[in-house]
Amino acid sequence: MRAERCAATPDLFAAAADAQDTVPLEPGAVVLPGLALPQAEQLLHDVAGVLAQAPLRHLVTPGGYTMSVAMSNCGPLGWTSDITGYRYTATDPLSGRPWPALPAAMATLARQAAARAGFDGFTPDACLINQYSAGARLSLHQDRDEHDLRQPIVSVSLGLPAVFLWGGARRSAPVRRIPLSHGDVVVWGGPARLHYHGVLALKGGCHPLTGEHRINLTFRCAS
Ligand code: MD3
Ligand code: FE
């Protein structure tokens, strides 16, 4: 991402915590507040390099809905969707070329975060890059396109804050609202791995490193 200048805006969630903390959400789900802060600029630099090769795009769901979140991928596999369904592919359908390589700083952070949550040896083969602009949202869903659901998913939030929706094993379960800020990392494994989740519509704002956007990285073992 290009570093963008903007007037400082109050960060609703600035009170967070320091990078040492691990906050259990429930069995299998651990928040690591600010863990990615020291590497944030490096990560965004790496993301910009990926997006230069595999640009962000608004995917269409099998239901015919165009997603408000813009997406791309890096790593051996990438998550994609079109009218025929969701799947992981080895090549970018836009270019026909392999997805860009997973940058080392991203792979290292994902591995360290997973280890802190008790998942040693996490070796993701897919990283989905989600970019939210004001109003973009992700409705409640499960992530179940990955082959081995015993492997966790590691998520990294960068840029503007968002409200994450954390539900249960059924779509109808009550939903908690969890603020996620720049630098926060969450590991989702064990019983939490198949829980419904989503993201509320992003509020407008301006972040010194990402401008008017929120970037979320999710590291997955897809194969
Ligand atoms: C809990 N992304 O890409 S990250 C997704 O902020 C996705 O862009 C959101 O949901 C985002 O699929 C949320 C947190 C997250 C990601 C995957 C999960 C939580 C999860 C998979 C299982 C359980
Ligand atoms: Fe998800």
Side-chain angles (χ1 to χ4, degrees):
M1 288 290 98
R2 176 167 60 96
E4 297 178 53
R5 295 193 174 280
C6 49
T9 48
D11 181 345
L12 290 175
F13 310 119
D18 62 69
Q20 257 65 298
D21 293 348
T22 64
V23 183
L25 268 182
E26 65 174 82
V30 179
V31 185
L32 304 163
L35 183 69
L37 277 178
Q39 299 102 302
E41 291 193 54
Q42 175 71 49
L43 296 171
L44 288 164
H45 172 83
D46 289 345
V47 167
V50 167
L51 298 180
Q53 301 169 70
L56 291 164
R57 77 289 310 261
H58 293 272
L59 298 172
V60 175
T61 67
Y65 162 82
T66 300
M67 298 181 77
S68 57
V69 178
M71 297 180 169
S72 186
N73 294 276
C74 56
L77 293 172
W79 186 85
T80 189
S81 175
D82 62 22
I83 194 74
T84 69
Y86 309 122
R87 63 196 161 277
Y88 282 94
T89 62
T91 56
D92 178 350
L94 277 186
S95 67
R97 296 191 304 263
W99 294 106
L102 184 61
M106 292 168 63
T108 300
L109 174 64
R111 191 176 191 81
Q112 288 173 347
R116 284 209 189 198
F119 297 94
D120 284 319
F122 180 61
T123 307
D125 59 12
C127 174
L128 174 62
I129 300 167
N130 291 339
Q131 180 182 272
Y132 295 74
S133 302
R137 59 188 284 272
L138 209 51
S139 55
L140 274 191
H141 67 277
Q142 293 172 295
D143 287 30
R144 49 192 295 171
D145 298 327
E146 300 74 27
H147 185 73
D148 183 359
L149 296 172
R150 293 168 305 184
Q151 296 294 328
I153 289 181
V154 173
S155 80
V156 179
S157 292
L158 296 167
L160 289 177
V163 178
F164 178 69
L165 299 173
W166 182 230
R170 294 166 178 255
R171 191 185 289 276
S172 57
V175 172
R176 287 167 64 185
R177 294 177 174 217
I178 297 167
L180 288 180
S181 315
H182 179 67
D184 289 348
V185 179
V186 193
V187 181
W188 314 88
R193 180 63 180 75
L194 281 175
H195 281 204
Y196 280 87
H197 59 276
V199 179
L200 283 187
L202 192 81
K203 289 182 67 171
C206 193
H207 189 278
L209 296 183
T210 64
E212 298 175 333
H213 300 118
R214 169 177 187 258
I215 304 278
N216 180 264
L217 309 175
T218 45
F219 298 90
R220 300 139 184 274
C221 289
S223 67

